[in-house]
Amino acid sequence: MKVFDRLAEHDYEKVVFCNDNESGLRAIIAIHDTTLGPALGGVRMRPFPTEEAALIDVLRLARGMTYKAAISGVDLGGGKSVILGDSATEKTPERLQALGRRIHSLAGEYIAGQDIGTDSYDMGVIRGVTPHVACVSEEAGGAGDPSQATAYGVVCGIRAVLEAVTGSDSLSGRHVVVQGLGNVGYHVARFCHQDGARLTVTDVRDEPVREAVRELGATAVAPGAVYEVECDVFSPCSVGAVVNDDTITRFRCQAIAGGANNVLAEPRHDGALVERGIVYGPDYLVNSGGLIRCQEEVRGEPTDDDRIFTKVSQIYDQTLQVIAKAGELGIGTGAAADRLAEERLAAVRLAAAGAA
Ligand code: NAD
């Protein structure tokens, strides 16, 4: 791979390769853009088939964080890190501390958070060596897991897409399909249930499905059959790329809005959804509730749920704004979200250049 060509393509600021022989840490920190503030993004730990695959992933995710912060009005930049290895067998406090020391050497330019393969306990371990970390467990003095705030924002996004397709944002009597009942998805299902929605759920694990059937009166469906369920809103809350060439013709929903990152397999699927008359709540906007909560933690604000949920509820208006812009320009909502994010970044850069 021509690394610098790849960095130049989307104007990445910095990539740090971290190696620590003593602990065995191999990690990459990518800082995409700090126009809006220090780059915040989770630490993802998973085995990668190749080092190149790890680099591609961390770059893509860091850029996604820039757009997420920009569209959601958060004053943070975009960054991400990956630890190469299996989180179930290779995650040790020594490796997390070694990563923490590298993060500390960046003097606040990058702020870590939890992501796939790491949790708020791990962020507490990192906090032991650097203050530049969010989503730290409550026992270690932080705000803990942001998933509930993420889920609350997802439900605001679901309400907005419902408003766009039905003229009412009420969940009462609406049918919502939740794919993935993990930290985010289960809360999404619970919030929708509390607001009177009918639920169909799926997961590759049996336990949360059984729980949702028992606790929320949900109907269970096999993971492979979830796309064909006729519903008002399909809410992807598991893996990415679930809108792809195979699934696009199978959806029987009016709208899609969920917690998962990178819901569209490729940007062209944005237009494909428009052609099928499905309104899409862009992933990085709809799932930005956790980031909004992290910003409060980084600022040292008390993480009072009511106050944070009030802030997160702005996702409703922002999603409607994106849908309106997409309609005006005749483009997909994913592209419209990108434009709005880029407009904010350009305006802040212009103001900074004017002030200099
Ligand atoms: P999680 O690991 O707790 O939950 C994911 C769930 O999806 C698990 O229950 C898993 O068994 C299930 N799953 C995996 N593959 C599946 C499949 N093929 N079909 C159905 N279910 C499947 O993760 P999470 O923290 O809930 O995050 C979910 C998604 O939301 C991820 O894409 C994550 O990147 C994104 N996200 C999370 C947050 C957050 O605050 N946690 C914030 C922004 C975005």
Side-chain angles (χ1 to χ4, degrees):
M1 188 207 298
K2 296 204 165 180
V3 176
F4 280 102
D5 286 353
R6 197 169 269 272
L7 301 191
E9 192 188 349
H10 293 298
D11 206 9
Y12 287 87
E13 290 180 13
K14 189 180 280 188
V15 177
V16 182
F17 290 85
C18 311
N19 177 66
D20 182 67
N21 282 354
E22 204 172 316
S23 65
L25 173 78
R26 284 183 168 195
I28 309 172
I29 302 169
I31 296 175
H32 173 244
D33 189 294
T34 55
T35 301
L36 301 175
L40 186 139
V43 180
R44 180 165 292 194
M45 181 165 188
R46 53 167 284 224
F48 289 92
T50 61
E51 291 169 10
E52 185 173 337
L55 179 59
I56 289 171
D57 210 33
V58 76
L59 291 176
R60 186 178 54 87
L61 292 164
R63 182 163 172 262
M65 290 305 295
T66 300
Y67 278 72
K68 185 185 294 212
I71 192 96
S72 53
V74 166
D75 294 327
L76 288 168
K80 202 85 181 181
S81 54
V82 292
I83 302 178
L84 289 75
D86 186 339
S87 64
T89 54
E90 295 177 281
K91 190 166 63 181
T92 61
E94 291 75 20
R95 284 184 186 174
L96 292 170
Q97 285 159 352
L99 177 66
R101 287 193 294 275
R102 299 298 186 276
I103 291 169
H104 196 64
S105 73
L106 294 169
E109 218 176 339
Y110 168 69
I111 302 166
Q114 73 177 68
D115 197 70
I116 293 166
T118 61
D119 58 23
S120 59
Y121 174 81
D122 299 328
M123 296 308 113
V125 174
I126 293 176
R127 170 62 68 82
V129 289
T130 181
H132 307 304
V133 54
C135 317
V136 173
S137 65
E138 282 153 13
E139 304 82 73
D145 184 348
S147 302
Q148 203 175 349
T150 302
Y152 186 75
V154 169
V155 176
C156 296
I158 290 176
R159 285 183 176 284
V161 294
L162 274 174
E163 174 69 35
V165 293
T166 70
S168 162
D169 62 13
S170 170
L171 275 155
S172 181
R174 294 292 175 199
H175 184 190
V176 179
V177 170
V178 182
Q179 180 189 41
L181 293 169
N183 292 322
V184 175
Y186 203 94
H187 285 303
V188 168
R190 191 179 277 138
F191 284 136
C192 289
H193 171 72
Q194 282 165 359
D195 289 344
R198 182 160 68 87
L199 293 169
T200 296
V201 298
T202 194
D203 198 292
V204 289
R205 297 180 297 136
D206 290 339
E207 197 197 314
V209 173
R210 270 202 300 272
E211 188 63 15
V213 169
R214 194 190 58 75
E215 189 203 347
L216 311 174
T219 301
V221 66
V226 71
Y227 305 105
E228 283 91 356
V229 177
E230 203 162 327
C231 62
D232 295 296
V233 182
F234 180 88
S235 186
C237 295
S238 62
V239 291
V242 295
V243 177
N244 55 46
D245 288 344
D246 170 48
T247 59
I248 192 84
T249 54
R250 294 163 64 193
F251 285 109
R252 300 285 177 270
C253 56
Q254 300 195 68
I256 295 178
N261 281 314
N262 303 315
V263 165
L264 306 177
E266 289 176 48
R268 66 189 166 84
H269 293 114
D270 193 26
L273 286 173
V274 176
E275 279 166 26
R276 292 190 50 81
I278 297 173
V279 172
Y280 168 57
D283 48 11
Y284 64 76
L285 168 57
V286 166
N287 72 21
S288 63
L291 177 66
I292 292 168
R293 189 171 188 271
C294 284
Q295 170 168 252
E296 302 290 296
E297 186 184 355
V298 167
R299 283 178 173 168
E301 304 275 350
T303 42
D304 167 67
D305 274 350
D306 285 345
R307 201 174 52 82
I308 288 183
F309 280 16
T310 303
K311 280 202 152 189
V312 170
S313 60
Q314 69 189 26
I315 290 172
Y316 174 84
D317 287 334
Q318 288 160 335
T319 305
L320 284 177
Q321 193 192 347
V322 167
I323 293 168
K325 176 128 183 155
E328 257 167 51
L329 300 176
I331 58 177
T333 49
D338 286 355
R339 293 226 191 152
L340 285 167
E342 283 158 8
E343 279 168 21
R344 179 169 179 228
L345 287 163
V348 173
R349 281 188 198 115
L350 198 66

